[in-house]
Amino acid sequence: MSGPGALSGIRVVDFGHHVAGPLAAVMLADQGADVVHIDRPGVTPPADDAFFNRGKRRIALDLKDPEDLKVARDLVRRADVLIENFRPGVMDRLGLGWAESRAVNPRLVYCSMPGFAADDPRAGVPGWEGVIAAATGNCRIRAGHAPDGWDATRPTYTAIPVASNFAAFCGAFAIVAGLTARQRTGRGDRVEVPLFDAMFEAIGGSGAYPVAQGLPPDRAISSNGSGTYRCADGRYVQFNPIGATPRFLAWFLDAAGVTAWAGEGLTDRARQDRDPELRRLLHDRLTALFLTRPALEWEELANAAGVPLAAVRTLAEWLENDHALAAGQVVVVDDPELGATAMPGAAVWLSATPTLPGRPRHLPDADRADILAELADPAPVASPPTDPTSTEAEAASPAAGLPSGEGDAVAALPYAGRRVVDLTQILAGPSAGRILVEFGADVVKINSPQRRVGAHGFVNRGKRTVLVDVKSSQGQQILWRLIEDADVLTHNFPERTAERYGLGYEHVRARRPDIVYVSVSCYGYGGPWANRRGYETQGQAATGIMTRAGGDGKPAVLGPYNLLDYGTGAMAAFATAVGLYHREVTGAGQQVRTCLTQTGVYQQASLAVRTTGRTEPAGPSALGLDGWHRFYQAADQWFFLGADRHSLPVLREVPGLEQALSGLDGSDDDAVAAALEAAFRAGTAREWTDRLTAAGLGAHPVITLAELMTDPWARSRGLTVSQISEEVGEVVMPGIAIRVDGAPPRLGHPVRRPGADAREVLSRIGLADAAEALEQGWAVQMTALPPGWDNF
């Protein structure tokens, strides 16, 4: 089923199940890869199969049957990519592990996404989402969104598989990066993105802090009147007029006809920070104001004024939204069983290589005859791998300026020698640039001079940083010299804003035809909402995530971590990787796009196609799916149990549960939950998880973020790292979530103050002698630099 996409000709064997593996594979299939999904014989596909296996060919294989296993090995021998998300050791026992597969196919890019890594002491623990959530603290309610009187130690469960999704996003990026490196070396590699590790990408800046100050407490976003407000029709809006200036709030008050509020100091953010009563007065005034009009009217008014505000919708509403359909974020696919079915569109959009998300799934084993016929033909002879020490990557390596010994390591990375100009702000776009740094790119981060930079720290690790006024003529001179030397340009301007600056795609490719031009936004491009502004909270509100998190009550922002900002960062890195791979193969550049709302749909992809009436756990009080699969409170703290009704015989053998479960046949979930609740109170969470995991069940104590960021094992594996900041001393932050055997990603150098690399950057583009004149002309700022960690 290969097509005209950027990955046309790439053959993928998808052994994935549940979410992570199939999701990564469908992201590749939508870009034109020929994906063959391996089904288990006799298993009825769930409803979400319509999305997770669209655009793939399918064959059912019993991997315990010698003949079927031979077919699987033949597929691997001819493949470019293998994807699997079994527990560590399963593929090895089948003879399909990395060592065996590499021996017969040295060009293979092999991607594993287990719950826990093979070298993790928890490798044998089933990696259920609830288990991973407990292990990474992803089970807390976001500050400012807890119900009144909420017990902060009580966990909450979400049906959104955040860890699996992040593993898929990161895995898909790493696969394409591996294919790009293979173009130069001829060699494949092994990628591993455990779900536990992937959560460190989701944690992002929430886990970054100066040691001297410690991990800051969760803080509600409430400045400038930010919050969720009930409207005249009973619906809600999410209002978020944050930013470096109070302009969004002032624009909104003007549009709403209450400009006079500014005269009372209600738009003075500095006064709000000093005076909690003023902040409370603004919130009370806005609460009354929003009750005067319906939600959709407020949404139109605010967005016409250029203010970040979104009405809270359900996912079902977003799947029918005119903008989502026009922008391709939602497609309607003619499924062979379900008929016309709305589902997420392609994860990213590319201008020169069309995506293929509208291809319906094939049913299990539908392609057996064709696949077996292909395997009967002689396999193509692969060219022998080249010596990576003699590749152009070494010649192009940006080793100059790196600490001694880093040059060779960088030269082996997929994006060695590739230069990126990063104009993005806040979290999503900068995160993409940081990921590219980790895979070898040289990234120059541009911020505006003479103003507060805001989010800078963790997301800009490893980049060169310069403060340039890109609106001035001299600033444009600096920017264009950087672009003319760049392979990638990234920005997060709303649609047409880049064109007004003379930085639209057509402007840029006129000077650099092979540029990969990356656009990141809240709502995406091509639909009626393309010019609207928004942040994490607007993306969650529009796509239905806030409705899920709020349950039957007031909508709430989901989770303690920014699943859209950092998810979109990984998606933008994937989009860039696809663009660079296409350029590596063809020499042609193109524009690539992604956005927060598309990531919001992908975070809910497993819930987007539903044909049954099963009740989904939602809201802050949700503890799990049922009595078998949920959070429980032990004598000292909470933990998660991952089991199901078929686990009853095993649970009865767990020491301490023999009497509690006697007489129960498992048919009454409430009775099981009550029995387990009483029994678990008799021991500590660690005692119970040790007993349950010894029995082969999933279990894990709830870990706080502070515990996680200082965990010795996480530090030993580079999942949390310490660096020395020139500004604030030692800082702790998440490390690298993606593992690669042959060319491990590198940790970027510590974050510098915004603008600290100006002289070096100007020297590189031949403007060293003009540095002082450029600063005097306010085109660049090199002194009195703003802080980079001021959000702490």
Side-chain angles (χ1 to χ4, degrees), residues 341-374:
T341 304
M343 62 182 66
V348 299
W349 177 91
L350 294 89
S351 63
T353 51
T355 55
L356 306 165
R359 299 177 297 169
R361 64 168 167 163
H362 290 184
L363 297 178
D365 215 30
D367 303 288
R368 170 175 287 272
D370 288 345
I371 292 170
L372 293 179
E374 290 174 7

Side-chain angles (χ1 to χ4, degrees), residues 603-678:
Q603 292 284 9
Q604 302 172 89
S606 62
L607 308 168
V609 181
R610 285 295 179 94
T611 58
T612 67
R614 180 177 179 180
T615 301
E616 174 193 319
S621 63
L623 289 173
L625 296 176
D626 50 37
W628 310 93
H629 199 89
R630 53 161 278 190
F631 288 101
Y632 282 98
Q633 192 168 21
D636 57 341
Q637 66 179 100
W638 290 82
F639 72 95
F640 189 84
L641 167 65
D644 57 31
R645 189 169 284 105
H646 303 292
S647 305
L648 180 58
V650 177
L651 280 166
R652 281 181 174 148
E653 299 297 320
V654 173
L657 296 182
E658 306 94 328
Q659 295 301 315
L661 297 175
S662 64
L664 297 178
D665 61 6
S667 60
D668 186 340
D669 286 347
D670 291 339
V672 169
L676 291 176
E677 281 180 342

Side-chain angles (χ1 to χ4, degrees), residues 366-600:
D367 303 288
R368 170 175 287 272
D370 288 345
I371 292 170
L372 293 179
E374 290 174 7
L375 294 178
D377 293 335
V381 178
S383 58
T386 59
D387 180 359
T389 63
S390 62
T391 66
E392 66 167 328
E394 184 178 55
S397 169
L402 290 173
S404 176
E406 284 195 20
D408 290 342
V410 173
L413 292 169
Y415 303 123
R418 303 296 176 254
R419 288 179 169 169
V420 180
V421 176
D422 183 0
L423 292 168
T424 62
Q425 308 297 319
I426 314 296
L427 300 179
S431 293
R434 173 189 51 77
I435 294 170
L436 295 174
V437 165
E438 291 163 0
F439 280 70
D442 179 2
V443 180
V444 174
K445 178 70 172 66
I446 297 177
N447 289 93
S448 297
Q450 311 303 328
R451 63 181 296 180
R452 176 177 173 268
V453 170
H456 181 73
F458 159 75
V459 294
N460 289 308
R461 180 176 65 202
K463 302 176 186 177
R464 306 174 200 269
T465 167
V466 60
L467 300 175
V468 177
D469 180 4
V470 299
K471 298 178 184 178
S472 71
S473 59
Q474 289 183 315
Q476 287 263 315
Q477 178 189 12
I478 297 170
L479 178 58
W480 279 109
R481 289 217 186 173
L482 286 168
I483 291 173
E484 287 166 359
D485 195 33
D487 304 282
V488 177
L489 173 68
T490 65
H491 73 75
N492 58 349
F493 301 124
E495 190 172 66
R496 292 192 291 278
T497 299
E499 282 73 13
R500 291 201 299 271
Y501 290 163
L503 291 172
Y505 176 55
E506 296 302 327
H507 298 116
V508 174
R509 77 166 180 169
R511 300 198 193 192
R512 187 69 197 260
D514 62 346
I515 197 87
V516 175
Y517 182 100
V518 185
S519 303
V520 182
S521 65
C522 179
Y523 296 108
Y525 304 85
W529 292 19
N531 286 322
R532 294 186 178 186
R533 291 184 172 92
Y535 300 105
E536 167 87 20
T537 50
Q538 278 66 56
Q540 287 204 27
T543 58
I545 294 176
M546 282 190 67
T547 302
R548 284 201 149 86
D552 295 332
K554 181 180 177 181
V557 176
L558 177 67
Y561 311 133
N562 283 13
L563 69 161
L564 298 194
D565 278 329
Y566 292 112
T568 302
M571 286 289 203
F574 171 68
T576 307
V578 175
L580 285 171
Y581 174 80
H582 176 255
R583 195 182 84 156
E584 193 84 25
V585 173
T586 67
Q590 61 180 311
Q591 183 178 16
V592 302
R593 299 170 176 166
T594 192
C595 62
L596 298 180
T597 51
Q598 185 64 339
T599 302

